[in-house]
């Protein structure tokens, strides 16, 4: 049986390693073969970008060689897929090769599309790529004070990032002794300051206490970078001296081009994680259309379910587990404090007050991530 | 030709019903209708408020059992 994993990020790597261990005997007996195709020879720990944007991590700390993270039995190629031929059970890659499969796993992630909002790339700091995070830090260093506006595009990965950004900015300006020169205003697309009700309930009094202003039902329409104004779809305006945006996202272009899913989001079964209408195609992580946060954590829990199910199909001919929508997110609350949100399809998160030990746990997790994707945690 | 689509945002806490609706509205064409299924109390008020503020149209909004069925037409 040929198992093909497309995408070597968080979800693809955890899935492939987990599966390689579960099927070690079958792989040795040459009954099963696992191949991974990715677009990069390096693997980025994306949550580290927030720390790069505040000068707390250097960009080179975010990367490992992808091959060094994989079980030896996985056949790994840096050769991005350019065409999914699902009716023929094969993909075509940039190098011109064709890879047939019996089971396909798609974990190609998402990409930022700031260009969809006129003026956003020119006017805003973004921090969702290495280059943008470094640029944002340089901008913060030079910033002498004024209005700092935060705006949020839809959809976006890491839904906790907007509130973490606020707390990190407050900490940063406080440490630099500039709080009296800065006014932070947060703008959010829906009617409360975070989409998770309990996060909103916790963050609102925190924002009030820190003097952070907020406006809800604010969806960015365009940015007038020359006059430093953001216009919202709802007809309001935000003035700024420094604009920081969580950019809108899409899935990968190839997913859209091959009509696997509108916007690059592949229609996926909530529990089995199969592509709708295709029982031998699994979808993981950001590129699903599931009503689940686009986070490494969701990709991780989904990968474990898919690995267990593919292995059980090989061994006993049937899947054994359902994905229950589980997500676990750390929330950096500034000033070396953090908390977390854990939830699934049925149970909302119950937030605990932030404390120092959660912050240091998150700092350790920034290193432990590498053991986690290797499957050692 | 205008299309109609159903967005199943039942039993989801993040990104949540209104965030899902905004995502799909961006992908839809003028004239399309989207039916949002939600079990979130907050979005029963939030969704009409947002739709009216932006200037789209609420076609219907009703609760059956524990589920809100909110149909919205994209007008611009
Ligand atoms: C600033 C920031 C902060 C974040 N903070 C957190 C956090 O605190 N907690 C959390 O859980 N998550 C966080 N995330 C989100 C998390 O990083 C992503 O949700 C996660 O990486 C998604 O995993 P994935 O496997 O779906 O995609 P990715 O990890 O993005 O991997 C996609 C892979 O697909 C490959 N690929 C792309 N196109 C092709 C192709 N055509 N053919 C083959 N391969 C291809 C890429 O090279 C890559 O290897 C954060 C993200 C950012 C940007």
């Amino acid at each position: 049986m040929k198992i093909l994993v497309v995408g070597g990020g968080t979800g693809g790597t955890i899935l492939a390693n987990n599966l390689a261990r579960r099927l070690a005997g079958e792989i040795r007996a040459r009954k099963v073969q696992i191949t991974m195709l990715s677009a990069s020879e390096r693997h980025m720990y994306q949550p580290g970008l927030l720390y790069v944007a505040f000068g707390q991590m250097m960009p080179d700390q975010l990367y490992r060689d992808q091959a060094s993270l994989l079980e030896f039995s996985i056949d790994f190629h840096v050769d991005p897929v350019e065409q999914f031929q699902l009716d023929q059970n094969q993909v075509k890659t940039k190098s011109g090769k064709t890879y047939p499969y019996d089971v396909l796993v798609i974990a190609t992630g998402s990409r930022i599309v700031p260009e969809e909002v006129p003026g956003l790339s020119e006017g805003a700091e973004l921090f969702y790529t290495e280059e943008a995070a470094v640029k944002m830090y340089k901008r913060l260093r030079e910033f002498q004070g004024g209005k700092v506006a935060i705006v949020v595009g839809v959809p976006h990965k890491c839904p906790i990032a907007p509130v973490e950004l606020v707390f990190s900015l407050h900490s940063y300006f406080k440490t630099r002794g500039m709080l009296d020169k800065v006014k932070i205003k947060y703008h959010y697309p829906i009617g409360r300051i975070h989409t998770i009700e309990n996060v909103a309930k916790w963050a609102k009094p925190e924002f009030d206490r820190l003097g952070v202003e907020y406006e809800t039902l604010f969806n960015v329409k365009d940015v007038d970078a020359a006059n430093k104004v953001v216009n919202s779809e709802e007809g309001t305006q935000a003035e700024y001296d420094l604009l920081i945006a969580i950019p809108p996202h899409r899935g990968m272009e190839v997913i859209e081009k091959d009509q696997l899913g509108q916007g690059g989001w592949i229609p996926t079964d909530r529990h089995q994680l199969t592509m709708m209408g295709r029982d031998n195609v699994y979808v993981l992580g950001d590129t699903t259309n599931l009503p689940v946060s686009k986070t490494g954590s969701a990709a991780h829990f989904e990968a474990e379910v898919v690995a267990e199910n593919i292995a059980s199909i090989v061994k006993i001919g049937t899947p054994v587990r359902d994905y229950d929508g589980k997500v676990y997110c750390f929330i950096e609350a500034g000033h070396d404090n953090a908390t977390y949100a854990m939830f699934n399809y049925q149970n909302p998160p119950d937030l605990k007050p932030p404390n120092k030990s959660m912050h240091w746990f998150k700092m350790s997790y920034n290193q432990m991530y590498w053991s986690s994707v290797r499957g050692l945690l | 030709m205008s299309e109609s689509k159903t967005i199943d945002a039942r039993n989801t806490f993040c990104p949540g019903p209104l965030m899902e609706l905004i995502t799909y509205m961006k992908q839809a064409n003028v004239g399309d209708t989207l039916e949002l299924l939600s079990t979130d109390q907050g979005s029963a008020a939030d969704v009409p408020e947002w739709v009216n503020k932006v200037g789209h149209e609420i076609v219907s909004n009703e609760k059956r059992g524990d589920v809100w069925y909110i149909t919205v037409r994209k007008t611009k």
Side-chain angles (χ1 to χ4, degrees):
Chain A
M1 177 188 269
K2 285 186 167 58
I3 301 169
L4 181 63
V5 182
V6 178
T10 305
T13 306
I14 292 172
L15 172 278
N17 282 331
N18 192 316
L19 204 50
R21 283 200 197 96
R22 288 177 188 276
L23 296 176
E26 288 81 355
I27 294 172
R28 263 196 310 275
R30 298 184 184 278
K31 286 188 189 143
V32 168
Q33 187 191 332
I34 303 176
T35 302
M36 174 183 279
L37 300 173
S38 194
S40 171
E41 62 191 13
R42 293 195 304 168
H43 185 124
M44 183 202 256
Y45 175 58
Q46 299 171 33
L49 289 168
L50 183 68
Y51 298 86
V52 172
F54 285 93
Q56 293 163 349
M57 274 175 97
M58 289 295 114
D60 59 359
Q61 292 176 278
L62 304 181
Y63 295 99
R64 296 285 186 277
D65 283 338
Q66 175 62 13
S68 74
L69 301 174
L70 294 173
E71 290 284 320
F72 288 117
S73 60
I74 298 166
D75 179 31
F76 171 62
H77 304 273
V78 180
D79 193 5
V81 171
E82 294 201 331
Q83 214 180 347
F84 288 91
Q85 298 178 329
L86 302 185
D87 288 338
Q88 287 90 39
N89 289 328
Q90 62 185 30
V91 302
K92 291 211 167 210
T93 60
K94 192 173 175 189
S95 70
K97 288 202 183 104
T98 299
Y99 287 84
Y101 61 81
D102 299 296
V103 173
L104 174 67
V105 181
I106 306 178
T108 43
S110 57
R111 66 195 164 106
I112 60 168
V113 286
E115 63 277 11
E116 286 189 354
V117 177
L120 193 67
S121 301
E122 298 77 34
E125 302 302 329
L126 298 172
F127 84 86
Y128 265 59
T129 63
E130 177 191 328
E131 195 191 4
V134 171
K135 181 168 162 281
M136 173 169 148
Y137 180 62
K138 290 182 178 163
R139 187 72 202 287
L140 280 178
R141 286 276 308 170
E142 292 162 3
F143 189 59
Q144 296 297 317
K147 292 180 194 136
V148 182
I150 295 157
V151 295
V152 180
V154 180
H156 55 269
K157 69 178 153 191
C158 193
I160 292 295
V163 288
E164 288 189 307
L165 175 64
V166 168
F167 294 125
S168 301
L169 280 168
H170 188 274
S171 263
Y172 177 81
F173 291 129
K174 187 167 183 193
T175 309
R176 295 200 63 194
M178 306 174 49
L179 268 185
D180 54 336
K181 299 198 191 78
V182 174
K183 199 170 188 168
I184 302 174
K185 187 161 177 190
Y186 171 92
H187 304 79
Y188 199 67
I190 68 160
R192 54 185 181 230
I193 66 169
H194 195 268
T195 190
I196 303 176
E197 196 171 2
N198 285 346
V199 172
K201 276 189 187 150
W202 161 73
K204 195 162 178 262
E206 287 296 299
F207 282 14
D208 290 336
R209 187 173 64 80
L210 300 176
V212 173
E213 295 179 11
Y214 40 82
E215 180 174 333
T216 54
L217 292 178
F218 188 105
N219 285 276
V220 192
K221 184 176 173 202
D222 55 43
V223 177
D224 177 353
N227 293 306
K228 298 191 172 175
V229 176
V230 186
N231 296 302
S232 77
E233 298 280 358
E234 292 78 8
T236 53
Q237 293 193 318
E239 292 175 4
Y240 66 87
D241 296 299
L242 171 61
L243 176 64
I244 306 179
I246 308 295
H249 284 67
R250 277 179 178 258
M252 288 298 156
E253 272 163 317
V254 62
I255 306 290
E256 287 191 76
K257 177 184 74 63
D258 290 351
Q259 300 184 341
L260 268 55
Q262 213 184 357
W265 315 120
I266 304 174
T268 306
D269 182 275
R270 270 184 187 216
H271 299 290
Q272 285 301 302
L273 304 172
T274 42
M275 179 175 172
M276 292 294 192
R278 303 262 175 192
D279 287 349
N280 67 335
V281 180
Y282 292 84
V283 193
L284 290 183
D286 290 356
T287 198
T288 71
N289 79 334
L290 294 178
V292 168
S293 328
K294 297 197 183 300
T295 57
S297 156
H300 183 146
F301 294 124
E302 289 163 6
E304 288 182 347
V305 171
V306 172
E308 200 170 337
N309 283 346
I310 296 176
S312 70
I313 287 169
V314 170
K315 289 172 195 284
I316 60 168
T318 182
V320 287
R321 263 181 81 187
D322 279 349
Y323 175 58
D324 64 357
K326 184 174 174 189
V327 179
Y328 178 107
C329 283
F330 289 103
I331 308 176
E332 285 284 15
H335 306 282
D336 294 345
N337 284 301
T339 179
Y340 68 93
M342 187 164 77
F343 51 99
N344 60 23
Y345 291 139
Q346 299 299 333
N347 304 297
D350 174 21
L351 253 66
K352 304 278 181 293
N355 59 48
K356 300 257 182 268
S357 49
M358 274 317 281
H359 167 71
W360 294 112
F361 183 34
K362 169 75 196 254
M363 296 305 277
S364 328
Y365 184 79
N366 290 343
Q367 304 304 321
M368 281 158 25
Y369 174 77
W370 302 112
S371 309
S372 164
V373 287
R374 284 186 179 103
L376 305 176
L377 271 182
Chain B
M1 218 184 73
S2 53
E3 283 184 36
S4 36
K5 196 169 203 158
T6 298
I7 308 165
D8 186 355
R10 288 174 296 177
N11 300 323
T12 158
F13 299 105
C14 186
L18 180 51
M19 219 50 120
E20 289 282 277
L21 179 67
I22 295 171
T23 300
Y24 283 91
M25 283 298 255
K26 284 168 79 172
Q27 293 169 8
N29 296 312
V30 172
D32 288 355
T33 52
L34 297 174
E35 184 189 37
L36 180 71
L37 275 52
S38 163
T39 43
D40 173 62
Q41 177 109 34
S43 60
D46 246 23
V47 171
E49 188 185 349
W50 178 76
V51 168
N52 291 330
K53 226 174 163 182
V54 176
H56 299 304
E57 186 192 336
I58 295 278
V59 179
S60 62
N61 181 1
E62 58 174 309
K63 192 177 178 196
R64 280 180 251 149
D66 291 335
V67 181
W68 278 270
Y69 295 79
I70 310 174
T71 306
V72 179
R73 181 175 292 116
K74 180 163 171 156
T75 57
K76 57 184 197 179

